[in-house]
Amino acid sequence: MLGVIGGSGFYSFFGPDARSVTVDTPYGAPSAAITVGAVGAHEVAFLPRHGADHEFSPHTVPYRANMWALRSLGVRRIFAPCAVGSLTPALGPGAMVVPDQLVDRTRGRVDTYFDSGGIHVAFADPYCPSLRAAATNLPGVVDGGTMVVVQGPRFSTRAESRWFANQGFTLVNMTGYPEAVLARELEMCYAPIALVTDLDAGIDSGTAVRTVDVFAEFQRNLVPFKKLVHDAIENTANTAEVNSCTHCLAHEGVRLPFELP
């Protein structure tokens, strides 16, 4: 099964024929019930990251429960649509980007299932190359970029966004970590698909980022963005490496302290 974790403004994915599944986990309940439906020949599980009514802020999302619940349903590959700010004028609002690198600037978020056992996972390349290829092969998609994940829920100061840009980072986001590393620990292929909603404060000197503007830009682009995610799902059937991916099998030869769901 393939999974989709929807970000801000991305709360539904299927028509009325889909079914709702409630899952409990050792880490509590996920953000919302999981909706299971079809995209072409694919069975897809959809989970709204922030909850059905956007009740979870970035720092309160139950990330461990979300990823565990998806895996327990049989999900092994995840596309993660998300809203991002741009740290370069070359990527304006409406751009759709599949980043290839991540920088974690969060704090205090529980980012592992392995509180014991001395387990380490390779994370040099945080996103599944096979899933990325299924999305970047589509028209109009920007391939590559570094997404810096900040704690939130506040937006960056101008000085912070200029600092991020000077480091060569491309996008800024609040939810991409620990989601990506938890997927790796559960040996699930994972790739974000980012929609640029704004130029960050240090890049656009005339304005500051406002939530109302972010949501408005997301809504303006929601139809083509959903189509892109649908097309990426369909394209997995044409990307031979997806079903044989070994990049995300992080525990080969390692004895884990518990069984994965």
Side-chain angles (χ1 to χ4, degrees):
M1 189 184 296
L2 197 146
V4 173
I5 303 177
S8 296
F10 202 122
Y11 304 120
S12 63
F13 199 63
F14 304 110
D17 55 338
R19 59 189 172 92
S20 180
V21 180
T22 301
V23 182
D24 197 13
T25 80
Y27 307 96
S31 296
I34 296 171
T35 308
V36 179
V39 175
H42 294 273
E43 187 178 31
V44 177
F46 174 78
L47 175 63
R49 181 185 292 117
H50 294 282
D53 298 309
H54 204 95
E55 57 266 41
F56 293 102
S57 289
H59 64 296
T60 64
V61 170
Y63 294 102
R64 289 201 296 181
N66 286 352
M67 306 308 283
W68 191 275
L70 287 170
R71 171 150 178 131
S72 70
L73 285 179
V75 170
R76 296 297 181 270
R77 304 186 295 276
I78 295 174
F79 282 118
C82 58
V84 298
S86 172
L87 295 166
T88 170
L91 295 175
M96 300 182 195
V97 187
V98 179
D100 60 353
Q101 275 297 320
L102 176 152
V103 172
D104 171 31
R105 292 290 301 172
T106 66
R107 59 188 182 276
R109 299 185 184 185
V110 181
D111 60 355
T112 183
Y113 293 103
F114 299 110
D115 296 322
S116 63
I119 306 299
H120 309 274
V121 296
F123 204 55
D125 297 297
Y127 306 129
C128 173
S130 302
L131 274 189
R132 288 191 68 258
T136 57
N137 285 339
L138 297 169
V141 176
V142 178
D143 181 359
T146 297
M147 184 166 71
V148 56
V149 184
V150 298
Q151 176 70 3
R154 70 170 178 85
F155 294 114
S156 301
T157 67
R158 296 189 194 280
E160 288 170 333
S161 64
R162 286 194 294 266
W163 176 41
F164 296 151
N166 288 338
Q167 297 303 309
F169 308 154
T170 315
L171 308 168
V172 59
N173 166 264
M174 296 181 188
T175 56
Y177 191 90
E179 204 169 83
V181 72
L182 294 174
R184 183 63 53 86
E185 288 193 344
L186 293 179
E187 296 194 326
M188 294 191 291
C189 296
Y190 176 98
I193 303 177
L195 172 65
V196 174
T197 57
D198 59 275
L199 292 176
D200 213 45
I203 309 304
D204 185 356
S205 59
T207 61
V209 180
R210 300 190 310 159
T211 300
V212 64
D213 298 327
V214 168
F215 277 93
E217 185 63 32
F218 202 100
Q219 288 302 312
R220 276 192 291 271
N221 290 280
L222 185 57
V223 171
F225 192 43
K226 281 190 175 181
K227 183 180 185 303
L228 171 61
V229 178
H230 274 89
D231 290 347
I233 291 170
E234 294 274 28
N235 208 23
T236 59
N238 302 318
T239 307
E241 295 83 0
V242 169
N243 292 321
S244 59
C245 174
T246 59
H247 177 86
C248 304
L249 300 180
H251 305 306
E252 186 175 3
V254 176
R255 177 175 294 180
L256 302 181
F258 55 82
E259 290 188 9
L260 299 183

